[in-house]
Amino acid sequence: MLEKIINYLNGLLWGELLVYGLVGAGLYFTIRLGFIQFTQFGHGLKLLAISRRPGKNGLSSFQVFCTSMAARVGAGNMAGVAFAIGVAGPGAVFWMWAIAVLGMATAMIESTLAQVYKVKDVDGQYRGGPSYYMEQGLGQRWMGVLFSVLLIICFGLVFNAVQANTIAGAMTAVFDVDPLYVGILITLFSGVVIMGGLRKVAKVSEFVVPFMALVYIIMAFIVVLINIEELPRVFMLVINSAFGWQEAAGGAIAYSVSQAMQAGIARGLFSNEAGMGSAANIAASASPNPNHPASQGYIQMMGVFFDTIVICTATAAIILLSGDAAGSGEGIGMTINALTFHVGSWGGAFIAFAILLFCFTSIIANYSYAETNIMFLSGNSKKALPLFRLVVLGMVMFGAMAKIGLVWDLADVSMGLMALVNIVAIMLLSGLAIRVINDYRQQVKEGKDPVFDTSKFPELADQLEEQIWPDLSASNKK
């Protein structure tokens, strides 16, 4: 009965509501922002290059980028891509790319809003995200509460079970280790980090994420070089399968276009989180450089690009270039089989090590998202955090031993409901977000170092916490 309910909700959310919602919102933001993911791509890279400057009350933009990438780069990039290809064919990869390109504009909007409406917690650390802009920007605390509850279930509990499940599956497949022992080790290491709170998570992410991403990309590049003559064929296979042309192209198995779209969009969103509102929680914690909300929007826009267009594509290349060699696996097993085919038996050990790093950092970053929303619900109090941390660790242990299909389906439902609430909020606040982004772009065009002057946005006068953003007109009068 539980599986029937979950399958029905997934069909409703991903077969109808979110396909149109995510694509529609992404197209709308892309057009309103003048195709910013293309025209301002170079500027986004420039901001990422200068993002290490530490902030007084927040994390550096680079720490926030690495923490958001820690959450993004995990099971979705390795097991999720394989899962999508396995159930819907190579065409799912194209729809991953499509939702990522549109999602870059969506990530720009939601992360800019998170910066605009950020607050300080009891320790002076910046906090924020969709719950905060729903309450302060829309005046709808109930909506913020609903989003917080969904995020806590989704990221604090279900997604962490998914990450632990993927680690245990990889370790069992490669080293024949009992999932119980894997679960105990993951739980212990996760506990050491999350007990240190948001700053500890950011420091670990800043150290681990760049290393793990670079090593994985290099491995995929080596696989592509080995099979360079097969690359055009594989690319055409993806395109033909995405639009249902595979039979005419001589494909062996036909997959429906709707099946490829649903799997690609769901797995793409699970990986890059654009429109879901999750990465916006950590985006609010930055002291951006330049000191303007839109600069952090650019950073998160680049995060979507690197997560899906670069890292997910790397996994897809490893799998699709292996031909039928990966077909006997399921989820992460497919990725392991594919890399083993390319480089030999040590490929499985490499994937297991990569999964361990990718999914472990996702667990601690997912917790950081949930922590901010626990504080939102508790009125900025930290009293509930110790108990919540224990519950999170319990879900990590559960996930290591759970049935993979049910865990993935639960993740899809919770993620879909969360995204639905967030899309409504960012559409309602998009007018403000676009004006803030255009203000930044105008200052850059004039050769200025952008700063955020709240006097240009009078509607924010009663919505923002004091001393977060300056009113430069008031300062000038003094």
Side-chain angles (χ1 to χ4, degrees), residues 320-381:
L320 295 177
L321 286 169
S322 71
D324 296 330
S328 59
E330 177 186 353
I332 192 60
M334 183 181 289
T335 310
I336 290 171
N337 290 345
L339 191 59
T340 300
F341 170 80
H342 291 299
V343 300
S345 59
W346 64 271
F350 175 86
I351 289 294
F353 177 70
I355 276 290
L356 181 62
L357 289 181
F358 280 25
C359 295
F360 172 72
T361 55
S362 287
I363 288 171
I364 61 176
N366 288 347
Y367 163 77
S368 73
Y369 292 174
E371 180 183 279
T372 290
N373 285 271
I374 287 288
M375 294 190 67
F376 174 82
L377 293 176
S378 60
N380 209 27
S381 170

Side-chain angles (χ1 to χ4, degrees), residues 376-396:
F376 174 82
L377 293 176
S378 60
N380 209 27
S381 170
K382 290 190 171 184
K383 292 181 180 179
L385 290 184
L387 177 60
F388 177 67
R389 288 166 180 165
L390 292 176
V391 174
V392 170
L393 296 176
M395 282 301 293
V396 171

Side-chain angles (χ1 to χ4, degrees), residues 21 45 47 51 69 137 167 204-205 215 241 246 255 300 444 475:
L45 288 176
L47 291 182
S51 62
M69 287 297 288
I167 295 175
V204 172
S205 300
V215 171
S241 179
Q246 68 274 13
Y255 294 92
Q300 293 305 314
V444 171
S475 301

Side-chain angles (χ1 to χ4, degrees), residues 35-282:
F35 296 87
I36 195 168
Q37 61 269 65
F38 303 106
T39 61
Q40 298 280 289
F41 185 83
H43 187 72
L45 288 176
K46 178 182 176 182
L47 291 182
L48 194 56
I50 62 170
S51 62
R52 285 185 174 272
R53 185 187 70 179
K56 181 179 179 181
N57 297 306
L59 308 173
S60 72
S61 289
F62 186 72
Q63 286 179 314
V64 166
F65 172 79
C66 288
T67 304
S68 66
M69 287 297 288
R72 288 183 172 116
V73 181
N77 297 78
M78 302 179 79
V81 172
F83 183 82
I85 293 173
V87 300
V93 177
F94 174 86
W95 297 110
M96 279 187 181
W97 293 338
I99 198 63
V101 170
L102 296 177
M104 289 172 72
T106 306
M108 180 85 190
I109 292 287
E110 63 186 1
S111 295
T112 298
L113 287 171
Q115 273 286 317
V116 169
Y117 290 103
K118 67 186 179 183
V119 302
K120 287 183 182 177
D121 67 16
V122 291
D123 297 324
Q125 169 68 51
Y126 289 138
R127 301 272 183 175
S131 296
Y132 294 82
Y133 56 67
M134 290 170 189
E135 179 180 37
Q136 295 167 223
L138 296 176
Q140 304 296 328
R141 179 168 173 81
W142 70 268
M143 197 175 186
V145 169
L146 175 60
F147 180 87
S148 286
V149 170
L150 289 172
L151 184 139
I152 290 165
I153 294 171
C154 185
F155 278 81
L157 306 178
V158 179
F159 275 15
N160 277 343
V162 168
Q163 304 296 346
N165 186 283
T166 306
I167 295 175
M171 292 297 171
T172 301
V174 177
F175 302 113
D176 195 26
V177 181
D178 190 322
L180 173 64
Y181 300 128
V182 177
I184 291 172
L185 285 175
I186 304 168
T187 303
L188 288 175
F189 282 110
S190 299
V192 169
V193 178
I194 70 175
M195 292 300 175
L198 185 60
R199 288 191 178 274
K200 184 69 172 290
V201 170
K203 287 180 179 178
V204 172
S205 300
E206 183 181 22
F207 174 75
V208 176
V209 169
F211 166 76
M212 71 180 190
L214 184 61
V215 171
Y216 189 67
I217 292 167
I218 290 172
M219 174 58 72
F221 184 68
I222 292 171
V223 170
V224 169
L225 285 180
I226 294 172
N227 300 275
I228 193 69
E229 71 283 352
E230 289 291 310
L231 204 56
R233 180 192 63 80
V234 167
F235 180 77
M236 289 310 301
L237 178 63
V238 169
I239 301 301
N240 289 331
S241 179
F243 295 98
W245 303 332
Q246 68 274 13
E247 285 185 325
I253 302 175
Y255 294 92
S256 70
V257 174
S258 61
Q259 192 179 14
M261 285 182 65
Q262 182 175 339
I265 290 174
R267 297 275 65 82
L269 178 62
F270 179 84
S271 179
N272 66 52
E273 303 176 15
M276 203 190 306
S278 50
N281 288 274
I282 193 65

Side-chain angles (χ1 to χ4, degrees), residues 411-443:
D412 284 345
V413 169
S414 54
M415 173 177 64
L417 292 172
M418 205 176 92
L420 202 59
V421 176
N422 185 58
I423 288 170
V424 172
I426 61 178
M427 287 297 292
L428 292 173
L429 290 168
S430 61
L432 170 68
I434 291 166
R435 285 168 51 218
V436 170
I437 293 166
N438 287 338
D439 172 67
Y440 176 95
R441 294 169 74 176
Q442 182 61 35
Q443 291 185 59

